[in-house]
Amino acid sequence: PSMAQEAAPVLLVVLARLVSSTWHEGSGYYLESHTNEVYEEETPPEPALDYRRVPQWCATLNIHRGEATCYSPRGSSYRSSLGTRCELSCARGYRLVGPSAVQCLPNRHWSGMAYCRQIRCHVLPAVLRGSYVCSAGVQMDSRCDYTCLPGYQLEGDRSRICMEDGRWSGSEPICVDMEPPKIRCPDSRERIAEPGKLTATVYWDPPRVRDSADGVIKRVTLRGPEPGSEFPEGEHVIRYTAHDQAYNRASCKFSIRVQVRRCPVLKPPQNGYISCTSDGNNYGATCEYLCDGGYERQGTSLRVCQSTQQWTGSQPLCAPMQINTDVNSAASLLDQFHEKRRLFVISAPDPSNRYYKMQISMLQQAACGLDLRHVTTVELVGQPPHEVGRIREHRLSLGIIEELRRFLHLTRSHFNAVLLDKAGTDRERYISPVSPDELFVFIDTYLLSEHEAARRAQSGDPCE
């Protein structure tokens, strides 16, 4: 009873939880750790908060890579007392995830959770035919520089920077083939025209072409003759153009010079002319000397232009034709005129024949035209044994006269005549005198060679 009367205040041992919180860096979460603390329980008259006893009401804020700026009702020295408001921010390169401000609540928790996350941009896509190198990967302020493969050029931004909003500056560049291909033509060359020709056949290798980008050449075009063509005298330019897949192009050129070796121009002999092959005086050309009718060549008939640019032989002469009537047969006599002169053979029964005298008179007046057309007159007049045969001032023997009459079918009974060409062929017969004009028209129309006609057209008619 006495003990009951001496009732004293009772000390209760109360196991209480003292809460301390740990803020995990960069996560925004914290964990509570519990410790046991013994204190005297006092029952207040009404619920109240004792700031003196619990100055740290909420866990201390600690943001990794960030900062908390706090304002407490009790003063600036208190950072986690009840009612404290903290503004949260992150260091450069980090972004706040969660509320930007929290407050310490009566339940001893902060009103929200936040943490700082590193700012990262997305991984840049690969560049076709190029690459990039970044200073700090995909972190903020990282700079990525772009380069292209050889032969390609960058089109667009050369560098991009990871910005604070997590996006890359600029836009994605591309690598384009802007460089033309490389082309090299063969060396220029000089050729000598082939013998007897004014051209040279020239061969060459195709140009060397490569593309510095993808190595693909789409096409190569040639402007000019193909290899193996014949090139005339002078200088010729050959051009090649190469195109790559990006339609870039490059060209090159080289020249081919063809030289014709020439000998000095030959002069025709007096009373003659020259007939030459090819261009007349080029290497390999052959020139033949020919004499006018009534003239004979004395000396070399052919001369050739050599590679030394000198002619073979020496220039011949055209001397007056020497008629030899001291022959054994009419054939030998006619051979002297073969390919040189035309013969107009006249036969009459006697010198007083009217047709004969008329014909000889007309021919004497047309001597220039006869010589121009290479016509020699042969006269067979009279009856044996007083028969006379002559070519100009040259007399023929009776035996030759007889052979000529038989060979040419010429009668002694009346006037008749025959025209022989330079081959000795019977071309026209007459039984009455023929005028020089009629004779000349026939010769000019049917008997002139191409060369004679050309010379006549060039020089005209000197007898007019």
Side-chain angles (χ1 to χ4, degrees), residues 294-296 298 319-325 336 340 392 394:
Y295 293 88
E296 291 181 319
Q298 294 180 355
M321 181 179 175
Q322 299 297 320
I323 301 174
N324 180 19
T325 56
Q336 299 178 56
K340 299 176 183 176
R392 297 176 186 168
H394 303 283

Side-chain angles (χ1 to χ4, degrees), residues 271-283:
N271 302 312
Y273 56 93
I274 299 175
S275 177
C276 297
T277 62
S278 192
D279 200 37
N281 69 330
N282 57 300
Y283 168 45

Side-chain angles (χ1 to χ4, degrees), residues 196-231:
K197 298 176 67 175
L198 300 177
T199 60
T201 303
V202 184
Y203 295 89
W204 64 86
D205 293 328
R208 287 182 294 214
V209 185
R210 67 179 182 85
D211 185 58
S212 56
D214 54 14
V216 178
I217 299 298
K218 194 171 183 180
R219 69 179 185 275
V220 178
T221 56
L222 165 65
R223 200 171 90 185
E226 295 281 347
S229 300
E230 288 193 1
F231 289 82

Side-chain angles (χ1 to χ4, degrees), residues 11-184:
L11 293 179
L12 299 178
V13 179
V14 178
L15 181 64
R17 295 188 303 170
L18 181 60
V19 180
S20 66
S21 301
T22 301
W23 188 270
H24 289 266
E25 295 181 1
S27 65
Y29 296 92
Y30 60 88
L31 299 177
E32 296 180 347
S33 59
H34 305 276
T35 57
N36 294 329
E37 183 178 314
V38 178
Y39 64 93
E40 180 179 358
E41 183 183 32
E42 295 183 0
T43 304
E46 57 184 5
L49 295 176
D50 187 355
Y51 288 103
R52 294 174 298 177
R53 290 250 182 145
V54 189
Q56 182 175 340
W57 190 254
C58 294
T60 302
L61 290 178
N62 184 17
I63 303 178
H64 184 60
R65 304 288 187 185
E67 182 180 5
T69 303
C70 299
Y71 306 92
S72 173
R74 300 190 65 190
S76 60
S77 58
Y78 293 88
R79 293 179 54 85
S80 57
S81 59
L82 180 63
T84 298
R85 176 183 174 82
C86 295
E87 295 181 358
L88 308 179
S89 61
C90 294
R92 178 175 175 77
Y94 292 82
R95 181 172 58 246
L96 186 68
V97 178
S100 60
V102 294
Q103 188 173 8
C104 182
L105 302 176
N107 62 4
R108 309 192 78 166
H109 289 286
W110 293 98
S111 60
M113 297 178 292
Y115 66 95
C116 291
R117 176 187 292 169
Q118 188 177 42
I119 297 175
R120 291 175 176 268
C121 293
H122 66 271
V123 177
L124 291 172
V127 180
L128 185 64
R129 303 185 185 93
S131 61
Y132 59 83
V133 176
C134 299
S135 60
V138 293
Q139 298 179 19
M140 194 183 77
D141 292 335
S142 176
R143 175 192 175 102
C144 295
D145 296 315
Y146 289 85
T147 56
C148 293
L149 295 175
Y152 291 88
Q153 292 184 6
L154 195 68
E155 195 171 88
D157 295 317
R158 292 191 170 274
S159 61
R160 301 179 73 184
I161 298 175
C162 182
M163 301 185 296
E164 290 186 18
D165 59 0
R167 293 185 298 173
W168 291 99
S169 63
S171 59
E172 184 181 351
I174 57 174
C175 290
V176 294
D177 183 2
M178 301 284 290
E179 187 174 341
K182 308 294 183 184
I183 182 170
R184 181 177 178 181

Side-chain angles (χ1 to χ4, degrees), residues 259-264 283 305-311:
Q259 179 184 357
V260 178
R261 291 183 177 176
R262 297 182 181 273
C263 294
Y283 168 45
C305 179
Q306 304 175 94
S307 61
T308 58
Q309 298 179 289
Q310 297 295 324
W311 291 98

